[in-house]
Amino acid sequence: MAALSNQDAVGLIEILAAAADPNRDASLEARRRILFSALAEAIEADAWIWMCRSADEAAPVDGTHGKLDDGWADDQQREAAFQTLGQCPLRQLLAAVPLSSTGAPSGVTRTKNDLIESNPNQEAGPESAWRAVGVNDFIVSLYPIDYATYSAVGYCRRDAEKQFTDRDRSVLDVLFQHVAWLHTESPIQLGLAPTSALSPREKEVLVLLLEGYARKEVAARLHLSAHTVADYLKVIYKKLGVSSRAELLAKFIHNS
């Protein structure tokens, strides 16, 4: 893998600093989008897709726990690229990462040339499938979260004359494989606190609050009034034995 220049190192620090800025009022999802979009600019990608999925090869391609994307011409192209990514490159990367219930497997980052033998004249096969969705080159990074799930991101280029380089692969690998919060489905684990007393709706409100959403944003996402969310919050505080949002965060983040 290519060594990064000082300029690339500074660029990566700036990307991470912008996405993780504690003064920015942004949810985990928004921070992911900031980082992935900035990374797309850094490696001159036209479009990208991030997903969190089951590592079970028999699982359906659309069985994702989370998905973000940007840069696609339309919904049809995005979904076609998503399906193609799940059927070929990710299957190959999973085969290259021996997942087990013990140990901490390391992730992998690969370019199209690493995964697919180039054959422009071939009428059927992986390369033709990518051409059919308007993608001429791609780079993919897979991060095993545990033996059951993984996080993966794919960046694509439409220009047939412009391929991803070893430098691009290194830039993606360094950032995607070493920023743990990118792969967290939620910034908290509900098992760390006594949430069994909460109703399903109260748990939904709780998760969104802990992901950084303001009350009005929680209300909008759950199609509730801000007043109703405030009522849910009072009940959540009482059931969990806290009196403020700061105490609520501490209960889950520090398990106090």
Side-chain angles (χ1 to χ4, degrees):
M1 198 165 295
L4 296 179
S5 66
N6 288 341
Q7 183 177 357
D8 283 331
V10 170
L12 290 177
I13 292 172
E14 290 176 344
I15 290 173
L16 183 57
D21 185 354
N23 296 310
R24 186 191 293 270
D25 183 15
S27 65
L28 178 61
E29 179 178 306
R31 293 179 189 278
R32 281 196 188 104
R33 186 174 292 280
I34 291 168
L35 188 146
F36 289 137
S37 295
L39 188 54
E41 292 185 17
I43 62 175
E44 299 182 59
D46 297 313
W48 57 268
I49 296 176
W50 168 80
M51 65 192 76
C52 181
R53 294 196 60 233
S54 167
D56 181 1
E57 291 193 16
V61 175
D62 59 356
T64 60
H65 305 293
K67 183 171 72 169
L68 291 175
D69 63 86
D70 194 27
W72 302 98
D74 50 41
D75 290 345
Q76 183 177 2
Q77 185 190 48
R78 181 191 64 235
E79 288 306 312
F82 176 62
Q83 293 293 324
T84 306
L85 181 65
Q87 290 165 359
C88 179
L90 293 185
R91 299 298 190 200
Q92 290 176 268
L93 292 187
L94 277 174
V97 179
L99 301 180
S100 68
S101 58
T102 60
S106 58
V108 289
T109 303
R110 298 288 186 268
T111 64
K112 173 187 171 186
N113 288 338
D114 295 325
L115 300 169
I116 298 176
E117 183 177 352
S118 180
N119 188 349
N121 298 320
Q122 190 177 35
E123 295 183 0
E127 186 168 17
S128 62
W130 280 107
R131 290 199 303 270
V133 299
V135 171
N136 283 293
D137 197 22
F138 64 79
I139 186 169
V140 182
S141 192
L142 182 146
Y143 177 95
I145 297 172
D146 53 38
Y147 71 94
T149 55
Y150 66 86
S151 171
V153 68
Y155 284 87
C156 302
R157 284 179 178 171
R158 300 186 180 95
D159 189 348
E161 301 301 320
K162 194 171 184 180
Q163 295 186 327
F164 287 109
T165 64
D166 286 341
R167 173 264 179 190
D168 299 327
R169 176 178 166 182
S170 294
V171 167
L172 174 57
D173 187 82
V174 167
L175 200 56
F176 194 69
Q177 298 294 332
H178 295 88
V179 181
W181 59 261
L182 279 177
H183 317 291
T184 307
E185 189 175 349
S186 170
I188 52 88
Q189 297 293 328
L190 289 180
L192 295 179
T195 60
S196 58
L198 301 181
S199 70
R201 179 61 95 181
E202 289 163 358
K203 287 180 181 179
E204 288 180 327
V205 171
L206 173 62
V207 168
L208 291 175
L209 287 171
L210 293 175
E211 286 186 355
Y213 290 100
R215 290 188 192 181
K216 289 183 179 179
E217 293 174 313
V218 173
R221 291 178 72 87
L222 296 180
H223 305 291
L224 300 171
S225 69
H227 179 73
T228 299
V229 170
D231 287 341
Y232 275 126
L233 191 54
K234 291 178 183 177
V235 175
I236 291 170
Y237 282 2
K238 183 177 181 180
K239 288 183 177 180
L240 297 183
V242 299
S243 58
S244 68
R245 187 162 181 165
E247 288 183 17
L248 186 68
L249 289 172
K251 193 172 194 67
F252 287 90
I253 295 174
H254 304 299
N255 194 21
S256 59

